[in-house]
Amino acid sequence: QTMATATTVNKAIALQEVQETVSRLTSHQGVRAVLILNPEGDIITQSGKQDVIGNTRLLKQMLDIAGRYSASVAATASQDGGDAASTMDGHDDISFISVRFRQDELLIAPKNGFVLVVLQDPAAAASQMD
C-alpha cells in the first residue's frame, strides 16, 4: 500500500510541476495559449487567452499541426530504432520546432511521449525583449 501511495504522491507532484510550468509559460507576454498533449494527441492540460481556448477551430488547427509533427517524429524514431527523431545527419535529435504564420507562431516540443504546444504572437514576444 505504501508503494501505491508513493506512486500517487509522485504523480501529484509531477502534475503540479506541469501546471506550474504551464502557468509560467502562459504569463509570458505574447503567449496566447499553452497545450500539453498526451501520446494519443488528446489535450491533457490547456491554459491561455479565452479567444484561443474558446475557439474550437483554432484549437483544431493547432492540434492538427502538432499531431502531424508528432507523427513524423514517431515515424522517424521508429525507422531509426531510437526514442527521438534524428536530423538528416543522424547525430542530433529534434527537440523543438517552430511554425510561423502570418500573425502567430506555433512552438512544438515533444518530451517523454508528451507534446508541449505554445501559440504566441511573435510581435508581442519581441516587444517584451526590447
Side-chain angles (χ1 to χ4, degrees):
Q1 187 176 12
T2 48
M3 181 76 137
T5 304
T7 302
T8 303
V9 169
N10 288 340
K11 285 182 180 180
I13 291 170
L15 181 59
Q16 181 180 358
E17 289 174 2
V18 167
Q19 290 170 335
E20 288 170 1
T21 300
V22 168
S23 294
R24 197 169 48 251
L25 287 169
T26 305
S27 69
H28 284 271
Q29 185 166 342
V31 171
R32 298 182 57 210
V34 176
L35 307 174
I36 296 182
L37 311 178
N38 67 12
E40 291 76 37
D42 301 321
I43 298 172
I44 58 171
T45 302
Q46 65 181 4
S47 181
K49 310 285 186 268
Q50 190 56 42
D51 67 323
V52 176
I53 300 302
N55 185 335
T56 55
R57 187 176 69 87
L58 180 57
L59 283 177
K60 181 173 177 355
Q61 289 174 335
M62 289 173 63
L63 291 173
D64 287 346
I65 292 168
R68 279 183 270 157
Y69 168 71
S70 298
S72 69
V73 168
T76 304
S78 67
Q79 290 172 357
D80 293 345
D83 292 330
S86 297
T87 58
M88 287 189 216
D89 67 4
H91 292 90
D92 296 323
D93 291 337
I94 296 172
S95 61
F96 178 83
I97 189 169
S98 172
V99 181
R100 186 94 183 240
F101 301 100
R102 197 174 302 164
Q103 295 178 356
D104 295 316
E105 185 173 34
L106 195 58
L107 310 171
I108 306 166
K111 184 73 172 178
N112 298 330
F114 295 89
V115 179
L116 171 68
V117 183
V118 177
L119 179 69
Q120 74 172 2
D121 176 353
S127 70
Q128 181 180 11
M129 292 180 183
D130 294 338

Short mmCIF file of all heavy atoms in Angstrom, two decimals, residues 4 22 26 46 74 78 105 109 119 126:
data_model
loop_
_atom_site.label_atom_id
_atom_site.label_comp_id
_atom_site.label_asym_id
_atom_site.label_seq_id
_atom_site.Cartn_x
_atom_site.Cartn_y
_atom_site.Cartn_z
N ALA A 4 1.89 2.14 -3.55
CA ALA A 4 0.82 2.80 -4.29
C ALA A 4 0.68 4.25 -3.84
O ALA A 4 0.46 5.15 -4.67
CB ALA A 4 -0.50 2.06 -4.10
N VAL A 22 3.06 25.35 -17.09
CA VAL A 22 2.05 25.91 -17.99
C VAL A 22 1.68 27.32 -17.56
O VAL A 22 1.61 28.24 -18.38
CB VAL A 22 0.81 24.99 -18.06
CG1 VAL A 22 -0.36 25.68 -18.75
CG2 VAL A 22 1.16 23.69 -18.77
N THR A 26 2.30 30.65 -19.76
CA THR A 26 1.14 31.46 -20.12
C THR A 26 1.32 32.92 -19.70
O THR A 26 0.79 33.82 -20.34
CB THR A 26 -0.14 30.87 -19.49
OG1 THR A 26 -0.26 29.51 -19.89
CG2 THR A 26 -1.39 31.61 -19.94
N GLN A 46 -4.56 22.64 -20.67
CA GLN A 46 -4.57 23.82 -21.54
C GLN A 46 -4.75 25.06 -20.70
O GLN A 46 -5.36 25.03 -19.64
CB GLN A 46 -5.67 23.72 -22.58
CG GLN A 46 -7.09 23.75 -22.02
CD GLN A 46 -8.12 23.62 -23.12
OE1 GLN A 46 -7.80 23.43 -24.27
NE2 GLN A 46 -9.38 23.72 -22.76
N ALA A 74 7.54 10.40 -34.51
CA ALA A 74 7.41 8.99 -34.15
C ALA A 74 7.83 8.09 -35.31
O ALA A 74 8.51 7.08 -35.11
CB ALA A 74 5.97 8.68 -33.74
N SER A 78 10.95 5.46 -35.21
CA SER A 78 10.81 4.02 -35.41
C SER A 78 11.70 3.54 -36.56
O SER A 78 12.24 2.44 -36.51
CB SER A 78 9.35 3.64 -35.66
OG SER A 78 8.91 4.16 -36.89
N GLU A 105 2.79 32.31 -34.07
CA GLU A 105 3.86 31.32 -34.15
C GLU A 105 3.47 30.16 -33.26
O GLU A 105 3.02 30.35 -32.13
CB GLU A 105 5.17 31.96 -33.67
CG GLU A 105 6.38 31.09 -33.80
CD GLU A 105 7.64 31.85 -33.46
OE1 GLU A 105 7.61 32.73 -32.57
OE2 GLU A 105 8.67 31.56 -34.08
N ALA A 109 7.17 21.13 -28.85
CA ALA A 109 8.31 20.43 -28.25
C ALA A 109 7.84 19.11 -27.65
O ALA A 109 7.06 19.10 -26.70
CB ALA A 109 8.95 21.29 -27.17
N LEU A 119 1.17 28.65 -28.50
CA LEU A 119 0.78 29.61 -29.54
C LEU A 119 1.14 30.98 -29.02
O LEU A 119 0.72 31.37 -27.93
CB LEU A 119 -0.72 29.53 -29.83
CG LEU A 119 -1.22 30.51 -30.90
CD1 LEU A 119 -0.70 30.11 -32.28
CD2 LEU A 119 -2.73 30.57 -30.91
N ALA A 126 8.53 39.76 -29.06
CA ALA A 126 9.71 40.53 -29.42
C ALA A 126 9.71 41.89 -28.72
O ALA A 126 10.76 42.36 -28.29
CB ALA A 126 9.80 40.72 -30.92
#
